[in-house]
Amino acid sequence: TCRHYQGQRKLGFWQDGLMFGVSIVIPVFNSTESLIAVVHACQQTMLQIQMDYEILLVDDGSSKVTWHTISGIAKSDPKVTGVRLGRNYGQHSALLAGVRAAKYEYVITIDDDLQNPPDQIPVVLEPLLKGSADVVYGVPMETAHSGWRRLSGKWVRGLLTKALGVQEAADLSSFRGFKTGLRQGFAVNLGPGVSLDALLAWTTNQFTAVPVRHAERQHGSSNYSLKKLFRFALDTVTGYTTVPLRIVSVLGFVTAGFGFLLMSFFVLLPFFQGISVQGFPFLASTIILFAGIQLITLGVVGEYLSRMHFRVMNKPEYFVIETVAHDSL
């Protein structure tokens, strides 16, 4: 099937010197126990579908033991390349480093914990090969995450889907596939706090989602806490959309209208009833309400100013400190 698509695809669609095949990008963070199993499962799947491939293991500031494992795999296998970042930049920065290093026509991103089984790669790859979509998300048919993680993840993904305008995708997922040529749309320095999903939304609106199997985590625990999920959502929404600024603008108009009506009520009440409204608690609560809204507004504006500050500093999204490949290369 893959050979058929290779013959039917439009040559020269991406002017990026890409070869027909799949680049599997795996961001790695302290996952020594599952790393060898992930690579082996990816290799078995790619041999079954008979496509050329490479595996890019991007070490996002892991321990020395993890990098030693990555180096050993890369040096012994010509299909595997290890990329070590200088420190922990975040999953999406690691993904971006792998995407920019990819040499094949399609990219598959997959986690390092085997919760996204590599045998589901053909399911994600099929719409890309058919040309029916530019970006494909593998959405779990039944997630194996804990209850709070499912709830918080659903809320965060729903927020990002609406904020980024990616309505075609039923859900965002870390198990994704897309045409490598899309990276031409975000080749510039983007600063810290990048979101691969937001960058893909810059370049195309041809998104789709396919159901995939989701497995139980076999080693360790998730590195995404509720705090990190919230931080990622905030970085993405403030970094790639103006939705928060619009919200605080509307909030400002609403509170100003409420304040005007409240002031009119207090001014006119003595003329109609001959009494004035008493009560320090009511006045104090009103002041606290408006002060809170002002602080929220300043906080949102501050998020945008901080991003502008980092862009002016030309702070990189990541820094590659070392790359390891097969000894024969």
Side-chain angles (χ1 to χ4, degrees):
T1 302
C2 293
R3 296 301 178 189
H4 169 74
Y5 287 127
Q6 180 180 11
Q8 294 296 321
R9 82 188 196 281
K10 296 180 180 179
L11 296 175
F13 184 73
W14 301 115
Q15 300 299 323
D16 200 14
L18 297 170
M19 298 180 289
F20 181 76
V22 181
S23 295
I24 303 174
V25 178
I26 306 176
V28 180
F29 184 71
N30 294 333
S31 56
T32 309
E33 298 88 352
S34 60
L35 200 53
I36 296 177
V38 171
V39 172
H40 179 71
C42 289
Q43 291 171 330
Q44 291 299 110
T45 299
M46 297 311 299
L47 287 175
Q48 289 175 5
I49 64 177
Q50 298 182 353
M51 285 187 70
D52 291 335
Y53 71 97
E54 65 175 342
I55 300 175
L56 296 164
L57 301 175
V58 185
D59 181 12
D60 188 25
S62 303
S63 64
K64 292 182 179 179
V65 176
T66 300
W67 176 244
H68 179 75
T69 303
I70 293 175
S71 299
I73 297 173
K75 289 179 180 179
S76 62
D77 192 327
K79 294 290 188 180
V80 180
T81 300
V83 179
R84 182 163 72 97
L85 304 186
R87 63 175 182 83
N88 181 253
Y89 289 92
Q91 184 186 47
H92 284 250
S93 293
L95 285 170
L96 184 60
V99 170
R100 286 177 172 170
K103 64 182 182 181
Y104 287 105
E105 192 172 351
Y106 302 102
V107 168
I108 294 290
T109 68
I110 193 169
D111 289 341
D112 59 352
D113 54 12
L114 286 173
Q115 287 199 281
N116 298 135
D119 61 14
Q120 299 293 290
I121 288 177
V123 179
V124 177
L125 196 58
E126 185 176 2
L128 296 174
L129 294 172
K130 288 182 177 179
S132 58
D134 294 331
V135 182
V136 181
Y137 288 103
V139 180
M141 292 180 282
E142 184 177 352
T143 179
H145 289 309
S146 60
W148 77 265
R149 177 66 189 279
R150 287 197 300 268
L151 182 62
S152 59
K154 183 178 180 180
W155 179 80
V156 169
R157 289 191 296 270
L159 174 65
L160 297 180
T161 300
K162 292 184 181 298
L164 299 175
V166 188
Q167 304 303 329
E168 294 82 358
D171 210 347
L172 300 181
S173 169
S174 59
F175 192 9
R176 61 177 76 77
F178 55 91
K179 296 177 179 178
T180 309
L182 295 177
R183 67 186 178 187
Q184 296 177 359
F186 43 87
V188 297
N189 181 26
L190 302 162
V194 298
S195 168
L196 182 60
D197 300 308
L199 297 176
L200 292 172
W202 279 3
T203 57
T204 182
N205 62 358
Q206 299 301 313
F207 286 76
T208 191
V210 293
V212 295
R213 183 167 55 85
H214 198 248
E216 293 282 351
R217 178 184 288 271
Q218 299 181 13
H219 303 281
S221 59
S222 174
N223 294 310
Y224 265 109
S225 62
L226 183 60
K227 179 181 178 181
K228 288 184 177 181
L229 283 172
F230 177 76
R231 181 72 251 180
F232 170 68
L234 185 62
D235 285 342
T236 302
V237 172
T238 57
Y240 299 93
T241 74
T242 58
V243 171
L245 289 177
R246 295 175 184 174
I247 292 175
V248 296
S249 297
V250 172
L251 188 61
F253 280 111
V254 171
T255 52
F258 175 74
F260 176 77
L261 293 175
L262 196 63
M263 181 185 67
S264 301
F265 173 76
F266 290 145
V267 170
L268 296 176
L269 187 62
F271 291 98
F272 290 97
Q273 295 187 0
I275 59 173
S276 60
V277 176
Q278 302 293 328
F280 173 77
F282 178 78
L283 178 62
S285 61
T286 305
I287 293 175
I288 292 173
L289 171 65
F290 283 96
I293 293 174
Q294 288 176 343
L295 288 175
I296 292 173
T297 304
L298 288 174
V300 172
V301 174
E303 287 289 334
Y304 282 91
L305 288 177
S306 66
R307 287 191 163 275
M308 293 175 61
H309 173 66
F310 286 130
R311 294 286 174 85
V312 171
M313 290 174 60
N314 201 28
K315 189 175 181 179
E317 312 98 322
Y318 56 84
F319 177 72
V320 177
I321 199 169
E322 185 178 359
T323 300
V324 175
H326 190 255
D327 291 337
S328 65
L329 298 181

